[in-house]
Amino acid sequence: MMKVLKQPLIPLLLAACVCVLFGFYMSHQPVSPEGKYEYRPMICIKDEIYGDNGTGVKALPEGYVSVGQIEEKVSNVQPMIKRSYVSNTLNVGTEIFTSQDNPNKIYLEIDNSKYVEYIRLPEAYTE
């Protein structure tokens, strides 16, 4: 048989208090000194900012050639800077591939014969 609570509001109030306390606890967690959030993975090549679009491939599309390597890694919790061969997540030495036929996409070698696709981003991502 089912018991009927004499005061059904007590469990509801207890749950609400737990939610409020948890929210208060989470809102006062330490924040990194640089900021509260991270920018998406980006790279700058020749004054153009490219961002990771989440696509990975095992082989480069036809027409893509190496144009160099990442020379500097900067913080990913600050706006991306416009300086060639700079990334906010990828390590120095990561190989960069571009194509004259498709200047809006580049590929970066993240592992031996594994590449990640980056696409050109709007100006809003620069400092």
Side-chain angles (χ1 to χ4, degrees):
M1 275 214 155
M2 190 159 127
K3 280 188 170 181
V4 177
L5 292 175
K6 292 182 181 181
Q7 295 181 347
L9 235 46
I10 291 177
L12 188 59
L13 288 173
L14 184 59
C17 288
V18 168
C19 288
V20 167
L21 289 174
F22 182 73
F24 180 77
Y25 171 76
M26 292 304 291
S27 69
H28 288 84
Q29 289 298 305
V31 175
S32 72
E34 294 176 316
K36 292 183 179 182
Y37 56 91
E38 297 177 353
Y39 285 87
R40 73 191 287 180
M42 290 183 274
I43 184 171
C44 180
I45 302 173
K46 300 177 185 173
D47 294 328
E48 295 291 339
I49 304 290
Y50 295 82
D52 183 351
N53 72 350
T55 302
V57 296
K58 291 183 180 180
L60 286 172
E62 193 171 318
Y64 279 83
V65 294
S66 175
V67 292
Q69 298 177 342
I70 293 174
E71 297 173 357
E72 181 181 0
K73 184 176 179 181
V74 296
S75 173
N76 65 345
V77 295
Q78 296 178 349
M80 186 64 180
I81 60 172
K82 255 194 171 179
R83 193 164 52 230
S84 281
Y85 303 105
V86 172
S87 172
N88 66 353
T89 54
L90 296 167
N91 293 325
V92 170
T94 301
E95 197 77 22
I96 305 163
F97 299 86
T98 65
S99 168
Q100 289 183 354
D101 296 336
N102 193 353
N104 292 323
K105 281 186 188 177
I106 64 170
Y107 288 89
L108 294 116
E109 187 172 20
I110 55 169
D111 216 355
N112 289 336
S113 298
K114 291 183 183 175
Y115 306 89
V116 64
E117 181 181 280
Y118 278 55
I119 57 172
R120 188 179 292 175
L121 298 176
E123 287 291 318
Y125 285 91
T126 60
E127 63 178 3

